[in-house]
Amino acid sequence: MSRDLTFHGGRIEAAARLYPDAPRPWLDLSTGINPHAWMPPAGLVIDHQRLPSGEALAALLAAAAAAFDFAGALTAVPGSELALRLLTTLDLPRPWHVVTPCYRTHRDALPGAKAIALDRIDEAAAGGGTMLLANPNNPDGRLLAPSELLSVARALGTRGGMLIVDEAFADALAGASVLPLLDADDPVVVLRSFGKFYGLAGVRLGFVGGARSVVARIAALLGDWPVSATALAYGAAAYRDVAGAERMRLRLAAEAAEIDNLLAGHGLATRGACPLFRLVECDGAGAVFERLAAAGILTRPFEERADWLRFGLPGAGFDRLEAALVADG
């Protein structure tokens, strides 16, 4: 297994080079992106010849705010990944803490931050500073109650601190977000992703909400045209499709249960609350990865944890995954 495949998911080109005899097309289970992409309504018009309009941006923010059940400060960004990488420009209070396990980008976003385990967050919050965590978490799918996060944030706030919550996967779980609980003066910044739940990662759309000063700073950095005309149109239409989102949550929950059962049947116990991916922990994780890769199925390994393997939902590829697991068994 190449280290390239442990950096982040979605590296199909690298996998194809490393496993040239694997059958095509590849089945990519290495990301937590919804395999059932939202489809734009017929007749959706996108004008690529003019700059994105302020009215369209306002419409997007209104639709997203309604979907998030949030009335506070909100701005659009071209993907939550960029928002993470802008954190170092914001003069966030120190000391910095990153709750682990976590995205690799979290460690990059706050260079020099102290890595802390989940059971240390209350202790760290008592010291102030900035704390960054994901909820639901990646890669283990751990989910903290939003009320618990708010308590941590307010403990940080008593010492001038700030909580940053990466909610990239929160759309997949009703009631997972801290945004509806926030007061205007709560020291919380929330990052949201459009592409994961709506299955359109290439649109490059995300949001930053919460603490007004941070949201305003990011909005100023990105200027009048923070996202593309496609992102504006797709995002506004998708967030207005409330019934579609509710149906999708039910579908994802059912498919998460299906992959849990499938993997359990092959001795692979799963964990995690996020329906978009499941984490398997076993001594033979590396061997499972290799055998599936030889079958043209890419999962997500981890350099720091050789006993971990993360599976995204296979969508139409359930039968292919099951066949590969049966062959491996």
Side-chain angles (χ1 to χ4, degrees):
M1 179 197 312
S2 168
R3 184 175 179 271
D4 286 349
L5 300 180
T6 70
F7 191 78
H8 61 66
R11 297 201 161 192
I12 290 295
E13 294 87 353
R17 289 193 297 270
L18 290 165
Y19 300 90
D21 297 326
R24 311 292 180 90
W26 279 78
L27 176 60
D28 188 4
L29 309 185
S30 68
T31 76
I33 297 169
N34 188 348
H36 310 294
W38 174 83
M39 298 298 293
L44 184 67
V45 176
I46 304 172
D47 186 351
H48 290 114
Q49 289 190 293
R50 57 174 296 207
L51 289 168
S53 74
E55 291 81 2
L57 177 58
L60 167 66
L61 293 176
F68 302 158
D69 190 18
F70 178 61
L74 186 71
T75 194
V77 294
S80 56
E81 168 90 0
L82 178 64
L84 283 165
R85 296 188 181 279
L86 288 176
L87 293 180
T88 55
T89 71
L90 302 178
D91 194 27
L92 295 169
R94 293 178 182 265
W96 291 347
H97 294 95
V98 173
V99 179
T100 58
C102 63
Y103 292 90
R104 186 184 297 266
T105 305
H106 281 196
R107 296 192 291 269
D108 295 341
L110 295 178
K114 181 179 180 181
I116 59 171
L118 181 64
D119 61 5
R120 300 288 302 278
I121 61 174
D122 289 330
E123 176 186 341
T130 298
M131 185 182 300
L132 170 62
L133 58 81
N135 198 53
N137 193 47
N138 177 35
D140 61 358
R142 178 200 71 232
L143 181 67
L144 298 178
S147 58
E148 183 177 350
L149 290 178
L150 190 57
S151 294
V152 171
R154 288 174 177 171
L156 280 163
T158 62
R159 300 292 300 272
M162 178 80 66
L163 177 66
I164 301 173
V165 185
D166 185 339
E167 291 188 349
F169 293 100
D171 284 298
L173 285 161
S177 177
V178 73
L179 281 171
L181 304 184
L182 296 186
D183 292 335
D185 58 350
D186 281 322
V188 181
V189 172
V190 176
L191 313 181
R192 295 290 289 246
S193 169
F194 172 78
K196 290 182 173 61
F197 176 70
Y198 289 96
L200 296 169
V203 171
R204 306 312 303 141
L205 175 62
F207 300 87
V208 180
R212 186 176 292 105
S213 61
V214 173
V215 173
R217 174 64 176 152
I218 289 177
L221 286 170
L222 296 182
D224 291 335
W225 308 289
V227 299
S228 71
T230 298
L232 292 174
Y234 274 41
Y239 285 121
R240 290 176 186 137
D241 186 9
V242 175
E246 292 174 350
R247 289 193 299 270
M248 182 56 67
R249 290 187 191 99
L250 293 174
R251 181 177 187 178
L252 294 176
E255 293 191 8
E258 185 177 353
I259 196 172
D260 285 346
N261 292 334
L262 174 60
L263 294 174
H266 295 275
L268 301 173
T270 60
R271 72 188 213 220
C274 183
L276 285 169
F277 59 85
R278 287 297 196 255
L279 184 69
V280 166
E281 182 176 343
C282 67
D283 291 338
V288 174
F289 172 86
E290 292 289 344
R291 291 195 298 268
L292 291 178
I297 300 173
L298 183 61
T299 52
R300 174 69 159 86
F302 298 88
E303 182 180 24
E304 65 276 16
R305 288 295 302 263
D307 58 339
W308 281 4
L309 196 61
R310 195 188 66 196
F311 288 75
L313 294 181
F318 266 102
D319 289 345
R320 183 174 172 186
L321 174 60
E322 182 171 20
L325 289 169
V326 168
D328 294 344

PDB file of all heavy atoms in Angstrom, residues 32-34 36-38 168-173 193-200 244-246 248-249 252 276:
ATOM      1  N   GLY A  32     -16.277   9.924   2.249  1.00  0.00           N
ATOM      2  CA  GLY A  32     -17.581   9.917   2.893  1.00  0.00           C
ATOM      3  C   GLY A  32     -18.602  10.693   2.084  1.00  0.00           C
ATOM      4  O   GLY A  32     -19.563  11.214   2.640  1.00  0.00           O
ATOM      5  N   ILE A  33     -18.406  10.775   0.773  1.00  0.00           N
ATOM      6  CA  ILE A  33     -19.304  11.540  -0.096  1.00  0.00           C
ATOM      7  C   ILE A  33     -20.508  10.675  -0.453  1.00  0.00           C
ATOM      8  O   ILE A  33     -20.372   9.498  -0.804  1.00  0.00           O
ATOM      9  CB  ILE A  33     -18.562  12.003  -1.357  1.00  0.00           C
ATOM     10  CG1 ILE A  33     -17.421  12.952  -0.979  1.00  0.00           C
ATOM     11  CG2 ILE A  33     -19.522  12.689  -2.330  1.00  0.00           C
ATOM     12  CD1 ILE A  33     -16.469  13.248  -2.122  1.00  0.00           C
ATOM     13  N   ASN A  34     -21.690  11.249  -0.368  1.00  0.00           N
ATOM     14  CA  ASN A  34     -22.918  10.547  -0.704  1.00  0.00           C
ATOM     15  C   ASN A  34     -22.850  10.002  -2.129  1.00  0.00           C
ATOM     16  O   ASN A  34     -22.638  10.765  -3.076  1.00  0.00           O
ATOM     17  CB  ASN A  34     -24.104  11.512  -0.569  1.00  0.00           C
ATOM     18  CG  ASN A  34     -25.451  10.848  -0.715  1.00  0.00           C
ATOM     19  OD1 ASN A  34     -25.566   9.706  -1.123  1.00  0.00           O
ATOM     20  ND2 ASN A  34     -26.489  11.600  -0.379  1.00  0.00           N
ATOM     21  N   HIS A  36     -25.248   9.054  -3.864  1.00  0.00           N
ATOM     22  CA  HIS A  36     -26.484   9.414  -4.557  1.00  0.00           C
ATOM     23  C   HIS A  36     -26.542  10.938  -4.692  1.00  0.00           C
ATOM     24  O   HIS A  36     -27.085  11.635  -3.828  1.00  0.00           O
ATOM     25  CB  HIS A  36     -27.691   8.897  -3.784  1.00  0.00           C
ATOM     26  CG  HIS A  36     -27.595   7.462  -3.408  1.00  0.00           C
ATOM     27  ND1 HIS A  36     -27.595   6.445  -4.334  1.00  0.00           N
ATOM     28  CD2 HIS A  36     -27.445   6.868  -2.186  1.00  0.00           C
ATOM     29  CE1 HIS A  36     -27.484   5.281  -3.710  1.00  0.00           C
ATOM     30  NE2 HIS A  36     -27.382   5.515  -2.417  1.00  0.00           N
ATOM     31  N   ALA A  37     -25.980  11.429  -5.754  1.00  0.00           N
ATOM     32  CA  ALA A  37     -25.867  12.881  -5.922  1.00  0.00           C
ATOM     33  C   ALA A  37     -27.235  13.525  -6.115  1.00  0.00           C
ATOM     34  O   ALA A  37     -28.113  12.978  -6.795  1.00  0.00           O
ATOM     35  CB  ALA A  37     -24.977  13.209  -7.111  1.00  0.00           C
ATOM     36  N   TRP A  38     -27.407  14.697  -5.490  1.00  0.00           N
ATOM     37  CA  TRP A  38     -28.610  15.503  -5.701  1.00  0.00           C
ATOM     38  C   TRP A  38     -28.649  15.946  -7.159  1.00  0.00           C
ATOM     39  O   TRP A  38     -27.624  16.336  -7.739  1.00  0.00           O
ATOM     40  CB  TRP A  38     -28.576  16.709  -4.778  1.00  0.00           C
ATOM     41  CG  TRP A  38     -29.685  17.694  -4.981  1.00  0.00           C
ATOM     42  CD1 TRP A  38     -30.943  17.634  -4.465  1.00  0.00           C
ATOM     43  CD2 TRP A  38     -29.633  18.896  -5.756  1.00  0.00           C
ATOM     44  NE1 TRP A  38     -31.681  18.720  -4.865  1.00  0.00           N
ATOM     45  CE2 TRP A  38     -30.900  19.503  -5.666  1.00  0.00           C
ATOM     46  CE3 TRP A  38     -28.640  19.504  -6.526  1.00  0.00           C
ATOM     47  CZ2 TRP A  38     -31.201  20.698  -6.296  1.00  0.00           C
ATOM     48  CZ3 TRP A  38     -28.931  20.701  -7.162  1.00  0.00           C
ATOM     49  CH2 TRP A  38     -30.199  21.286  -7.044  1.00  0.00           C
ATOM     50  N   ALA A 168     -18.836  19.017   8.603  1.00  0.00           N
ATOM     51  CA  ALA A 168     -18.886  18.624   7.196  1.00  0.00           C
ATOM     52  C   ALA A 168     -19.911  17.530   6.928  1.00  0.00           C
ATOM     53  O   ALA A 168     -20.475  17.453   5.834  1.00  0.00           O
ATOM     54  CB  ALA A 168     -17.502  18.171   6.734  1.00  0.00           C
ATOM     55  N   PHE A 169     -20.154  16.654   7.911  1.00  0.00           N
ATOM     56  CA  PHE A 169     -21.077  15.537   7.716  1.00  0.00           C
ATOM     57  C   PHE A 169     -22.406  15.728   8.446  1.00  0.00           C
ATOM     58  O   PHE A 169     -23.221  14.805   8.501  1.00  0.00           O
ATOM     59  CB  PHE A 169     -20.424  14.240   8.187  1.00  0.00           C
ATOM     60  CG  PHE A 169     -19.244  13.823   7.347  1.00  0.00           C
ATOM     61  CD1 PHE A 169     -17.951  14.074   7.765  1.00  0.00           C
ATOM     62  CD2 PHE A 169     -19.429  13.186   6.138  1.00  0.00           C
ATOM     63  CE1 PHE A 169     -16.867  13.694   6.994  1.00  0.00           C
ATOM     64  CE2 PHE A 169     -18.356  12.801   5.354  1.00  0.00           C
ATOM     65  CZ  PHE A 169     -17.061  13.054   5.776  1.00  0.00           C
ATOM     66  N   ALA A 170     -22.656  16.885   9.012  1.00  0.00           N
ATOM     67  CA  ALA A 170     -23.827  17.074   9.873  1.00  0.00           C
ATOM     68  C   ALA A 170     -25.149  17.018   9.118  1.00  0.00           C
ATOM     69  O   ALA A 170     -26.180  16.673   9.708  1.00  0.00           O
ATOM     70  CB  ALA A 170     -23.721  18.404  10.624  1.00  0.00           C
ATOM     71  N   ASP A 171     -25.166  17.346   7.833  1.00  0.00           N
ATOM     72  CA  ASP A 171     -26.421  17.305   7.085  1.00  0.00           C
ATOM     73  C   ASP A 171     -27.029  15.908   7.057  1.00  0.00           C
ATOM     74  O   ASP A 171     -28.239  15.755   6.883  1.00  0.00           O
ATOM     75  CB  ASP A 171     -26.197  17.772   5.641  1.00  0.00           C
ATOM     76  CG  ASP A 171     -26.038  19.273   5.535  1.00  0.00           C
ATOM     77  OD1 ASP A 171     -26.982  19.986   5.886  1.00  0.00           O
ATOM     78  OD2 ASP A 171     -24.960  19.728   5.120  1.00  0.00           O
ATOM     79  N   ALA A 172     -26.194  14.886   7.215  1.00  0.00           N
ATOM     80  CA  ALA A 172     -26.681  13.510   7.106  1.00  0.00           C
ATOM     81  C   ALA A 172     -27.422  13.039   8.348  1.00  0.00           C
ATOM     82  O   ALA A 172     -28.037  11.965   8.321  1.00  0.00           O
ATOM     83  CB  ALA A 172     -25.502  12.572   6.821  1.00  0.00           C
ATOM     84  N   LEU A 173     -27.366  13.809   9.419  1.00  0.00           N
ATOM     85  CA  LEU A 173     -27.970  13.402  10.691  1.00  0.00           C
ATOM     86  C   LEU A 173     -28.828  14.535  11.249  1.00  0.00           C
ATOM     87  O   LEU A 173     -28.304  15.581  11.638  1.00  0.00           O
ATOM     88  CB  LEU A 173     -26.884  13.058  11.717  1.00  0.00           C
ATOM     89  CG  LEU A 173     -26.165  11.726  11.539  1.00  0.00           C
ATOM     90  CD1 LEU A 173     -24.856  11.731  12.301  1.00  0.00           C
ATOM     91  CD2 LEU A 173     -27.055  10.592  12.022  1.00  0.00           C
ATOM     92  N   SER A 193     -20.207  21.778   4.969  1.00  0.00           N
ATOM     93  CA  SER A 193     -19.884  21.344   3.614  1.00  0.00           C
ATOM     94  C   SER A 193     -21.158  21.045   2.842  1.00  0.00           C
ATOM     95  O   SER A 193     -22.073  20.407   3.374  1.00  0.00           O
ATOM     96  CB  SER A 193     -19.010  20.081   3.673  1.00  0.00           C
ATOM     97  OG  SER A 193     -18.890  19.477   2.395  1.00  0.00           O
ATOM     98  N   PHE A 194     -21.228  21.471   1.616  1.00  0.00           N
ATOM     99  CA  PHE A 194     -22.348  21.124   0.731  1.00  0.00           C
ATOM    100  C   PHE A 194     -22.107  19.784   0.043  1.00  0.00           C
ATOM    101  O   PHE A 194     -23.009  18.955  -0.078  1.00  0.00           O
ATOM    102  CB  PHE A 194     -22.517  22.229  -0.318  1.00  0.00           C
ATOM    103  CG  PHE A 194     -23.519  21.907  -1.406  1.00  0.00           C
ATOM    104  CD1 PHE A 194     -24.878  22.015  -1.156  1.00  0.00           C
ATOM    105  CD2 PHE A 194     -23.102  21.507  -2.665  1.00  0.00           C
ATOM    106  CE1 PHE A 194     -25.811  21.727  -2.152  1.00  0.00           C
ATOM    107  CE2 PHE A 194     -24.020  21.220  -3.663  1.00  0.00           C
ATOM    108  CZ  PHE A 194     -25.379  21.330  -3.414  1.00  0.00           C
ATOM    109  N   GLY A 195     -20.902  19.560  -0.407  1.00  0.00           N
ATOM    110  CA  GLY A 195     -20.622  18.458  -1.322  1.00  0.00           C
ATOM    111  C   GLY A 195     -20.787  17.074  -0.744  1.00  0.00           C
ATOM    112  O   GLY A 195     -21.113  16.132  -1.481  1.00  0.00           O
ATOM    113  N   LYS A 196     -20.567  16.896   0.545  1.00  0.00           N
ATOM    114  CA  LYS A 196     -20.597  15.543   1.102  1.00  0.00           C
ATOM    115  C   LYS A 196     -22.014  14.971   1.136  1.00  0.00           C
ATOM    116  O   LYS A 196     -22.268  13.885   0.639  1.00  0.00           O
ATOM    117  CB  LYS A 196     -19.950  15.537   2.485  1.00  0.00           C
ATOM    118  CG  LYS A 196     -18.443  15.759   2.430  1.00  0.00           C
ATOM    119  CD  LYS A 196     -17.808  15.707   3.794  1.00  0.00           C
ATOM    120  CE  LYS A 196     -16.283  15.753   3.681  1.00  0.00           C
ATOM    121  NZ  LYS A 196     -15.780  16.979   3.057  1.00  0.00           N
ATOM    122  N   PHE A 197     -22.945  15.674   1.755  1.00  0.00           N
ATOM    123  CA  PHE A 197     -24.305  15.171   1.851  1.00  0.00           C
ATOM    124  C   PHE A 197     -25.006  15.180   0.500  1.00  0.00           C
ATOM    125  O   PHE A 197     -25.755  14.250   0.161  1.00  0.00           O
ATOM    126  CB  PHE A 197     -25.112  15.993   2.853  1.00  0.00           C
ATOM    127  CG  PHE A 197     -26.557  15.594   2.955  1.00  0.00           C
ATOM    128  CD1 PHE A 197     -26.928  14.384   3.519  1.00  0.00           C
ATOM    129  CD2 PHE A 197     -27.563  16.438   2.479  1.00  0.00           C
ATOM    130  CE1 PHE A 197     -28.272  14.018   3.607  1.00  0.00           C
ATOM    131  CE2 PHE A 197     -28.899  16.078   2.569  1.00  0.00           C
ATOM    132  CZ  PHE A 197     -29.255  14.864   3.135  1.00  0.00           C
ATOM    133  N   TYR A 198     -24.783  16.222  -0.300  1.00  0.00           N
ATOM    134  CA  TYR A 198     -25.475  16.326  -1.576  1.00  0.00           C
ATOM    135  C   TYR A 198     -24.735  15.585  -2.699  1.00  0.00           C
ATOM    136  O   TYR A 198     -25.218  15.561  -3.835  1.00  0.00           O
ATOM    137  CB  TYR A 198     -25.703  17.793  -1.930  1.00  0.00           C
ATOM    138  CG  TYR A 198     -26.745  18.414  -1.025  1.00  0.00           C
ATOM    139  CD1 TYR A 198     -26.378  19.133   0.110  1.00  0.00           C
ATOM    140  CD2 TYR A 198     -28.098  18.241  -1.270  1.00  0.00           C
ATOM    141  CE1 TYR A 198     -27.335  19.674   0.960  1.00  0.00           C
ATOM    142  CE2 TYR A 198     -29.068  18.768  -0.427  1.00  0.00           C
ATOM    143  CZ  TYR A 198     -28.671  19.485   0.692  1.00  0.00           C
ATOM    144  OH  TYR A 198     -29.628  20.010   1.544  1.00  0.00           O
ATOM    145  N   GLY A 199     -23.596  14.980  -2.382  1.00  0.00           N
ATOM    146  CA  GLY A 199     -22.898  14.147  -3.346  1.00  0.00           C
ATOM    147  C   GLY A 199     -22.292  14.902  -4.508  1.00  0.00           C
ATOM    148  O   GLY A 199     -22.098  14.341  -5.590  1.00  0.00           O
ATOM    149  N   LEU A 200     -21.962  16.182  -4.295  1.00  0.00           N
ATOM    150  CA  LEU A 200     -21.464  17.046  -5.369  1.00  0.00           C
ATOM    151  C   LEU A 200     -20.200  17.768  -4.909  1.00  0.00           C
ATOM    152  O   LEU A 200     -20.135  18.995  -4.890  1.00  0.00           O
ATOM    153  CB  LEU A 200     -22.544  18.054  -5.776  1.00  0.00           C
ATOM    154  CG  LEU A 200     -23.817  17.452  -6.382  1.00  0.00           C
ATOM    155  CD1 LEU A 200     -24.909  18.504  -6.493  1.00  0.00           C
ATOM    156  CD2 LEU A 200     -23.523  16.838  -7.746  1.00  0.00           C
ATOM    157  N   GLY A 244     -36.625  16.502  -0.071  1.00  0.00           N
ATOM    158  CA  GLY A 244     -35.612  15.631  -0.658  1.00  0.00           C
ATOM    159  C   GLY A 244     -34.516  15.299   0.337  1.00  0.00           C
ATOM    160  O   GLY A 244     -34.025  14.163   0.391  1.00  0.00           O
ATOM    161  N   ALA A 245     -34.117  16.284   1.133  1.00  0.00           N
ATOM    162  CA  ALA A 245     -33.083  16.042   2.145  1.00  0.00           C
ATOM    163  C   ALA A 245     -33.579  15.054   3.195  1.00  0.00           C
ATOM    164  O   ALA A 245     -32.825  14.174   3.638  1.00  0.00           O
ATOM    165  CB  ALA A 245     -32.670  17.364   2.795  1.00  0.00           C
ATOM    166  N   GLU A 246     -34.829  15.177   3.592  1.00  0.00           N
ATOM    167  CA  GLU A 246     -35.374  14.243   4.594  1.00  0.00           C
ATOM    168  C   GLU A 246     -35.420  12.821   4.049  1.00  0.00           C
ATOM    169  O   GLU A 246     -35.081  11.856   4.748  1.00  0.00           O
ATOM    170  CB  GLU A 246     -36.760  14.706   5.021  1.00  0.00           C
ATOM    171  CG  GLU A 246     -36.739  16.008   5.824  1.00  0.00           C
ATOM    172  CD  GLU A 246     -38.126  16.533   6.122  1.00  0.00           C
ATOM    173  OE1 GLU A 246     -39.109  15.997   5.556  1.00  0.00           O
ATOM    174  OE2 GLU A 246     -38.231  17.498   6.908  1.00  0.00           O
ATOM    175  N   MET A 248     -33.469  11.626   1.764  1.00  0.00           N
ATOM    176  CA  MET A 248     -32.093  11.150   1.636  1.00  0.00           C
ATOM    177  C   MET A 248     -31.548  10.689   2.978  1.00  0.00           C
ATOM    178  O   MET A 248     -30.819   9.679   3.059  1.00  0.00           O
ATOM    179  CB  MET A 248     -31.208  12.246   1.034  1.00  0.00           C
ATOM    180  CG  MET A 248     -29.754  11.812   0.829  1.00  0.00           C
ATOM    181  SD  MET A 248     -29.579  10.328  -0.193  1.00  0.00           S
ATOM    182  CE  MET A 248     -30.149  10.956  -1.789  1.00  0.00           C
ATOM    183  N   ARG A 249     -31.854  11.380   4.056  1.00  0.00           N
ATOM    184  CA  ARG A 249     -31.379  10.936   5.373  1.00  0.00           C
ATOM    185  C   ARG A 249     -31.897   9.536   5.696  1.00  0.00           C
ATOM    186  O   ARG A 249     -31.162   8.692   6.224  1.00  0.00           O
ATOM    187  CB  ARG A 249     -31.802  11.939   6.443  1.00  0.00           C
ATOM    188  CG  ARG A 249     -31.076  13.265   6.370  1.00  0.00           C
ATOM    189  CD  ARG A 249     -31.392  14.171   7.544  1.00  0.00           C
ATOM    190  NE  ARG A 249     -30.869  15.500   7.263  1.00  0.00           N
ATOM    191  CZ  ARG A 249     -31.593  16.524   6.809  1.00  0.00           C
ATOM    192  NH1 ARG A 249     -32.903  16.375   6.622  1.00  0.00           N
ATOM    193  NH2 ARG A 249     -31.039  17.687   6.553  1.00  0.00           N
ATOM    194  N   LEU A 252     -29.934   7.043   3.493  1.00  0.00           N
ATOM    195  CA  LEU A 252     -28.561   6.837   3.964  1.00  0.00           C
ATOM    196  C   LEU A 252     -28.532   5.986   5.227  1.00  0.00           C
ATOM    197  O   LEU A 252     -27.662   5.125   5.389  1.00  0.00           O
ATOM    198  CB  LEU A 252     -27.889   8.185   4.218  1.00  0.00           C
ATOM    199  CG  LEU A 252     -27.644   9.058   2.989  1.00  0.00           C
ATOM    200  CD1 LEU A 252     -27.063  10.404   3.410  1.00  0.00           C
ATOM    201  CD2 LEU A 252     -26.735   8.372   1.985  1.00  0.00           C
ATOM    202  N   LEU A 276     -22.739   8.183   6.404  1.00  0.00           N
ATOM    203  CA  LEU A 276     -22.007   8.271   5.144  1.00  0.00           C
ATOM    204  C   LEU A 276     -20.733   7.437   5.129  1.00  0.00           C
ATOM    205  O   LEU A 276     -20.143   7.226   4.059  1.00  0.00           O
ATOM    206  CB  LEU A 276     -21.666   9.731   4.833  1.00  0.00           C
ATOM    207  CG  LEU A 276     -22.848  10.570   4.352  1.00  0.00           C
ATOM    208  CD1 LEU A 276     -22.487  12.041   4.316  1.00  0.00           C
ATOM    209  CD2 LEU A 276     -23.331  10.105   2.980  1.00  0.00           C
TER     210      LEU A 276
END
